[in-house]
Amino acid sequence: MSEKEGWFGRFSRGLSKMRQGLTDKVQALAARAGRVDEDLLEELEAILIQADVGVAGATAIVENIRERCRKDGIASAGAVRDLLREELRRRLALAEGPSVEGAAGAGRGAAKPLVIMVVGVNGTGKTTTIGKLAHRLRDEGKQVVIAAGDTFRAAAAEQLAIWGERAGATVVRHQEGGDPAAVAFDAVKSAQAHGADVVIVDTAGRLHTKVNLMEELKKVQRVLAREVPGAPHEVLLVVDATTGLNAVQQAKVFREAVGVTGVVLTKLDGTAKGGVVVAIAGELGLPVKYVGLGETAEDLQPFSADKFVAGLFPDAAPPES
Ligand SMILES: Nc1nc2c(ncn2[C@@H]2O[C@H](COP(=O)(O)OP(=O)(O)O)[C@@H](O)[C@H]2O)c(=O)[nH]1
Ligand SMILES: [Mg+2]
């Protein structure tokens, strides 16, 4: 065991509730059923739907498993678990995309500063994710400036100041109630003046107020685009896995309004309904860039289908790399 917990420990611990809600139930079902029949397949579909994989995803997964069993003459229920693992891996691979950290590299043509805007409804974990992301980027030696763009809630700037201090990132903030676009502008100017590598912009998430949130976000985007070519280079939508399929609905709304480039799925450690990651992969055509597996900085992990599946089926996991 290395001193620092590796990815395998983080994924298997972070997905333990989802394992109870999915893997363990499938295991018990297979043990009980003994052989593959329509009853087993129906129960498997019900387990997947309960885990918030979504009806379309659950139906398609079970259909593929039924077909495999028929074609390959598989009758033993134990094999269903392996077939499910393969199906999940294949579907989740659709949600893999280029990493944010790769884009923050020093390569030729890399944007500098790389501008990342973080959006999502209140409470999903935007501010926390920004703190964790700043931490990761700092660990790679990147200079990070954070714009405290949720000026609606004073606590958000306070929260960022604490994360920023811990991570060694600069936090640009204005008074409560200030113009978020002006905060974003100042953060970019500060990053340019100091040669910083990355600017991360926090935003508000209240949906029902006088000032339309989507208009406010578009204004922030316009200011960023004016100051840095191609900015914002990433628009990360943060969704909370504990809200299940609501997350997919939110993603559709934000994608429509502000052009999301990737999803961060938080709080997987707190739910058995993490199947929503499969629904995101299947229904949205958006990459999942990170998953939140707990409260510490290291619990924000780049998404990988293989690692996710290893966390769900730890006994069949590949060696840690
Ligand atoms: N367990 C767990 N809690 C999280 C995770 N990400 C965020 N949180 C918690 O979710 C709550 C709301 O987070 P916050 O960043 O303030 O959300 P915001 O309103 O979108 O900015 C906080 O208590 C965070 O600690 C995660 O991956 N796991
Ligand atoms: Mg916040």
Side-chain angles (χ1 to χ4, degrees):
M1 249 319 272
S2 61
E3 231 179 270
K4 233 179 152 179
E5 188 177 29
W7 68 261
F8 181 62
R10 298 209 177 273
F11 276 85
S12 52
R13 190 173 38 72
L15 297 181
S16 65
K17 287 202 177 145
M18 190 176 167
R19 218 158 47 233
Q20 283 164 25
L22 185 65
T23 325
D24 294 356
K25 283 191 187 167
V26 172
Q27 181 93 4
L29 169 64
R32 189 153 34 82
R35 41 182 298 114
V36 182
D37 57 15
E38 273 312 305
D39 284 350
L40 175 143
L41 293 171
E42 235 172 68
E43 272 194 63
L44 176 62
E45 189 171 321
I47 292 170
L48 290 168
I49 289 172
Q50 269 169 38
D52 270 355
V53 161
V55 173
T59 309
I61 288 171
V62 169
E63 185 49 42
N64 285 349
I65 292 177
R66 179 186 286 115
E67 193 51 32
R68 278 287 300 278
C69 288
R70 199 186 54 78
K71 221 174 68 211
D72 300 346
I74 296 168
S76 146
V80 162
R81 187 172 178 273
D82 294 337
L83 292 177
L84 175 63
R85 191 179 66 231
E86 285 318 309
E87 274 294 313
L88 291 175
R89 192 203 311 280
R90 215 165 48 77
R91 270 158 206 283
L92 292 176
L94 299 174
E96 286 181 341
S99 83
V100 174
E101 284 151 72
R108 212 148 57 91
K112 185 159 175 169
L114 181 82
V115 179
I116 304 169
M117 190 170 155
V118 178
V119 302
V121 305
N122 273 341
T124 52
K126 288 181 297 301
T127 305
T128 313
T129 295
I130 289 168
K132 292 170 176 174
L133 185 55
H135 219 285
R136 292 188 65 89
L137 292 165
R138 285 291 295 150
D139 277 352
E140 292 179 13
K142 301 283 184 285
Q143 283 253 99
V144 180
V145 177
I146 299 171
D150 183 359
T151 56
F152 202 70
R153 300 199 294 183
E158 215 41 65
Q159 215 179 331
L160 277 178
I162 294 165
W163 275 104
E165 184 149 345
R166 260 191 284 169
T170 306
V171 177
V172 173
R173 52 192 285 194
H174 287 187
Q175 281 162 326
E176 188 175 352
D179 178 3
V183 183
F185 177 87
D186 282 356
V188 166
K189 286 297 153 201
S190 163
Q192 287 169 334
H194 298 100
D197 304 289
V198 185
V199 176
I200 314 178
V201 182
D202 195 9
T203 62
R206 80 256 180 277
L207 283 178
H208 307 290
T209 47
K210 267 195 304 196
V211 186
N212 184 289
L213 175 64
M214 297 305 168
E215 290 312 314
E216 179 177 306
L217 296 178
K218 284 180 194 165
K219 184 176 170 198
V220 172
Q221 278 181 316
R222 280 197 300 275
V223 167
L224 294 171
R226 205 177 60 213
E227 300 308 317
V228 182
H233 308 94
E234 293 272 4
V235 179
L236 297 182
L237 172 70
V238 178
V239 291
D240 174 345
T242 67
T243 64
L245 292 172
N246 265 331
V248 175
Q249 213 38 53
Q250 287 166 18
K252 286 179 178 163
V253 172
F254 278 89
R255 184 181 57 181
E256 184 80 9
V258 294
V260 174
T261 63
V263 172
V264 180
L265 184 62
T266 61
K267 308 189 203 178
L268 277 161
D269 54 306
T271 181
K273 295 193 172 275
V276 64
V277 67
V278 179
I280 290 172
E283 286 183 38
L284 290 174
L286 284 173
V288 177
K289 298 278 185 167
Y290 291 96
V291 287
L293 299 166
E295 306 252 21
T296 74
E298 291 76 22
D299 288 323
L300 184 74
Q301 289 281 319
F303 174 73
S304 135
D306 280 345
K307 291 178 181 179
F308 202 94
V309 168
L312 284 181
F313 300 87
D315 52 310
E320 183 142 359
S321 59

